[in-house]
Amino acid sequence: SSSKPNTIPIMKTVACLAALVGSAAAFAPAQQGASSTALSGAFDNEIGVQAPLGFFDPLGYLQDEDQERFEHLRWVELKHGRVAMLGVVGYLTTYAGIRFPGAEDVPAGFAALPAVPGMVWAQFIATVALMEAANRSQEDTDGVKAGWKPEFQGDFRNGFVDFGWDKQSDAWKKNKRTIELNQGRAAQMGLLGLMVHDQLGNIKTILPLGPQ
């Protein structure tokens, strides 16, 4: 009989190659003679452009692009960061053994994918679709405070939830937006790390307080 292939060395190799490719892209020299609004410093004062990397665009997504394109990519980054923060919290919560009623037998991590009933998957997809439709600026929607406009892409207060934001200074707002952006960046890396270690089979090493 054939033995089951050992996938752990393969996963380790893939993870190492991905890290090497990312490092190579990060430190690759910029193309000489290429005109770029990014290289000219057009985005150097934007939120999230900070030490030690400064304006970091190794793949050239913003080469010769305008402010509108930058704002779109910034919103995409912010959105991915928000989802990743929820993902990290959800992963740690389920790994700690906390479950919704009726889901006590569902494991954590990738092992949960085949264990989740089809009806739950349908509810999950419907919830994501509803959130996609609702989590956006609704200034043109009936019932929203007249004259309200978002300050930036991702501002979903819609004239309703404020928590004193409008009373704060521009410097305070910039600081809070920077914190959210950086937390989202860290969460994206953290969630990726959890997923990789889950596949490598050593998740218990980095989460020793979970079920053994």
Side-chain angles (χ1 to χ4, degrees):
S1 60
S2 60
S3 59
K4 183 179 179 180
N6 189 350
T7 59
I8 292 181
I10 298 176
M11 291 299 298
K12 289 182 178 179
T13 301
V14 172
C16 291
L17 288 175
L20 289 173
V21 170
S23 299
F27 295 101
Q31 293 182 356
Q32 300 296 323
S35 61
S36 172
T37 55
L39 295 179
S40 66
F43 307 121
D44 285 351
N45 295 320
E46 295 289 345
I47 292 174
V49 179
Q50 57 196 55
L53 296 178
F55 181 76
F56 187 67
D57 183 28
L59 299 181
Y61 281 112
L62 285 169
Q63 183 171 322
D64 300 319
E65 296 291 351
D66 56 16
Q67 185 69 27
E68 182 179 358
R69 177 62 175 168
F70 175 86
E71 294 292 344
H72 171 72
L73 292 178
R74 168 48 46 80
W75 157 232
V76 171
E77 180 185 18
L78 180 62
K79 181 177 182 179
H80 278 79
R82 289 172 175 176
V83 173
M85 286 189 277
L86 290 173
V88 169
V89 172
Y91 198 104
L92 297 178
T93 300
T94 54
Y95 193 83
I98 301 174
R99 299 288 189 279
F100 285 115
E104 292 84 358
D105 296 332
V106 177
F110 282 97
L113 297 180
V116 174
M119 184 57 67
V120 176
W121 277 113
Q123 294 173 356
F124 170 76
I125 294 173
T127 301
V128 171
L130 180 62
M131 293 177 67
E132 268 302 296
N135 288 341
R136 61 183 63 193
S137 177
Q138 305 284 353
E139 66 267 26
D140 296 326
T141 304
D142 292 338
V144 174
K145 183 178 179 180
W148 183 87
K149 294 291 183 182
E151 292 188 11
F152 55 91
Q153 291 195 57
D155 180 5
F156 297 151
R157 292 173 296 139
N158 293 320
F160 176 68
V161 180
D162 184 74
F163 298 112
W165 178 270
D166 288 334
K167 300 177 182 179
Q168 302 296 334
S169 65
D170 290 341
W172 186 92
K173 293 178 181 179
K174 182 176 181 179
N175 180 58
K176 292 299 182 181
R177 290 182 60 192
T178 301
I179 290 174
E180 181 187 20
L181 190 64
N182 285 335
Q183 293 282 4
R185 289 168 172 173
Q188 290 176 75
M189 298 301 297
L191 185 59
L192 177 60
L194 288 171
M195 295 168 64
V196 170
H197 283 284
D198 194 352
Q199 287 294 297
L200 292 176
N202 61 354
I203 191 69
K204 296 178 181 179
T205 303
I206 62 175
L207 297 179
L209 299 181
Q212 302 298 315

